[in-house]
Amino acid sequence: MSGQILTGKEVATKIKQEVKIELEKIKEKGINPKLVAIQVGENSSSQVYLNAQKKNCQTMGILHEVKNLEPDISESELINFIEEMNKDKSVTGIILQLPLPQGMDVRKIQSRISPEKDVEGVNPANLGWIVYGRPLLAPCTALAVKELIYSTGVDLYGKEVVMVGHSDIVGKPVALLLVDKFATVCICHIGTSDKGMLEQHVKRAEILIVAVGKAHLIKGEWIKEGSIVIDVGINKLNDKIVGDVEFETAKEHAGWITPVPGGVGPITTAVLLRNTIIAAKLTSCL
Ligand code: NAP
């Protein structure tokens, strides 16, 4: 058996079409969304993300501006700058580019982004709405994972879901989003691996999501026959970009599997555009 390859393309195109329609509607009402990305110092991986944001916004007709701040800026100066962007009525969405200089309290700074302008869903208020089962501006990658699973048409009710990785912006929100659809969700992390239990959990996953950042952590033979495998990981291995799952062997067992690159990534960017529209509506009280 060889699984269907879940490329994000189709889902991403559908989301972008919906965004285009919504954008036209809000522009008619006089709202012109503007996304501001705050970049402290320089970072090559962050630059790739910035370029992708800019290109996608331009294609869609959304204003995008990068605010470059000096690498030696203090934490309180950065917070003051974010407050300025919060107050600026022409700014409807804010992205704080990571990584920040060493020593800065990332969570504290993210918590100062106005929840209504928080297009990446990193403010604790937005994460809290997920706990309430009423996601508003949720983290883009977590939403992208949900969209990909939905695109298979598989009913989540009672399904055995294994989420490997428990980060605040991927693992934990994904788990909560799926629990709300009455899936049975197990979250694995470093403790699971250290106890030698990862294989056992993965083997019974009807839906497996992996967001760790370790090339080929998940062996292809562990994949349950006919399962859905969503690989969020992005790793460099021998000059190639690979995921956290051994793709070639895994696809022989999975029913559906995402490639890396070209699976979760394109949907994440489309969801960012959708969140930008939601934020523009929220800041304009539509
Ligand atoms: P993160 O914050 O570093 O979290 C990684 C998670 O993996 C942590 O919960 C960590 O647990 C766990 N972990 C580490 N080693 C493990 C092991 N051996 N076994 C099981 N769990 C282990 O990373 P993230 O932000 O969630 O991102 C994860 C990956 O997804 C990265 O490769 C990133 O580049 C990629 N990513 C892709 C997209 C996209 O759009 N495609 C978006 C975001 C992220 P502990 O904290 O307990 O160590």
Side-chain angles (χ1 to χ4, degrees):
M1 174 178 179
S2 191
Q4 286 184 47
I5 311 300
L6 269 181
T7 70
K9 241 183 175 172
E10 227 170 86
V11 184
T13 306
K14 187 169 161 274
I15 296 173
K16 283 181 182 174
Q17 280 165 351
E18 289 163 3
V19 166
K20 213 172 177 81
I21 295 168
E22 274 307 300
L23 181 63
E24 275 166 24
K25 278 193 205 161
I26 62 170
K27 278 190 173 174
E28 273 169 22
K29 290 181 177 155
I31 298 159
N32 201 8
K34 177 171 159 188
L35 191 53
V36 160
I38 304 171
Q39 163 96 314
V40 182
E42 277 181 28
N43 180 283
S44 56
S45 59
S46 158
Q47 194 58 45
V48 174
Y49 181 39
L50 263 181
N51 295 343
Q53 280 167 34
K54 199 175 229 36
K55 189 169 154 239
N56 276 288
C57 284
Q58 274 170 353
T59 313
M60 195 56 68
I62 294 172
L63 298 170
H64 182 275
E65 194 180 325
V66 182
K67 301 280 189 188
N68 287 298
L69 305 182
E70 293 300 322
D72 58 355
I73 191 171
S74 71
E75 196 169 292
S76 60
E77 284 168 332
L78 176 56
I79 288 173
N80 286 342
F81 187 80
I82 290 172
E83 300 286 3
E84 263 179 51
M85 294 299 104
N86 287 343
K87 282 185 209 137
D88 187 334
K89 285 201 161 58
S90 74
V91 177
T92 59
I94 300 172
I95 290 180
L96 178 65
Q97 294 287 133
L98 298 182
L100 292 177
Q102 256 198 336
M104 283 203 182
D105 185 341
V106 178
R107 294 290 176 262
K108 180 179 156 196
I109 299 168
Q110 287 174 326
S111 76
R112 302 301 285 269
I113 301 171
S114 157
E116 289 80 17
K117 296 191 180 186
D118 174 30
V119 291
E120 291 195 305
V122 292
N123 181 296
N126 283 322
L127 292 167
W129 282 112
I130 305 175
V131 177
Y132 288 169
R134 291 163 61 187
L136 199 58
L137 284 169
C140 305
T141 309
L143 291 174
V145 168
K146 195 184 85 171
E147 294 282 354
L148 270 166
I149 296 171
Y150 279 15
S151 76
T152 64
V154 167
D155 184 8
L156 278 162
Y157 198 86
K159 282 277 177 322
E160 287 286 334
V161 174
V162 173
M163 174 71 239
V164 187
H166 68 148
S167 70
D168 295 345
I169 60 149
V170 189
K172 285 181 198 167
V174 163
L176 287 167
L177 288 167
L178 301 183
V179 156
D180 275 336
K181 299 296 165 198
F182 298 101
T184 308
V185 184
C186 160
I187 307 180
C188 299
H189 39 66
I190 194 73
T192 323
S193 280
D194 286 349
K195 280 264 181 189
M197 297 295 286
L198 189 61
E199 175 179 352
Q200 211 166 309
H201 286 290
V202 169
K203 277 185 165 168
R204 59 178 179 73
E206 294 174 287
I207 301 175
L208 173 71
I209 306 124
V210 192
V212 171
K214 288 203 170 127
H216 298 169
L217 172 73
I218 307 296
K219 305 301 164 210
E221 315 86 71
W222 298 356
I223 303 300
K224 191 179 175 72
E225 293 300 320
S227 59
I228 301 175
V229 178
I230 311 286
D231 191 352
V232 183
I234 302 173
N235 314 285
K236 222 173 185 179
L237 186 71
N238 305 328
D239 285 333
K240 267 182 73 182
I241 300 294
V242 300
D244 291 345
V245 179
E246 271 183 354
F247 181 79
E248 289 305 327
T249 358
K251 82 172 191 307
E252 298 306 319
H253 301 283
W256 294 264
I257 184 166
T258 57
V260 178
V264 177
I267 309 186
T268 302
T269 344
V271 170
L272 175 67
L273 294 171
R274 187 169 67 191
N275 275 0
T276 302
I277 302 295
I278 297 172
K281 285 182 179 176
L282 288 171
T283 49
S284 314
C285 300
L286 268 189

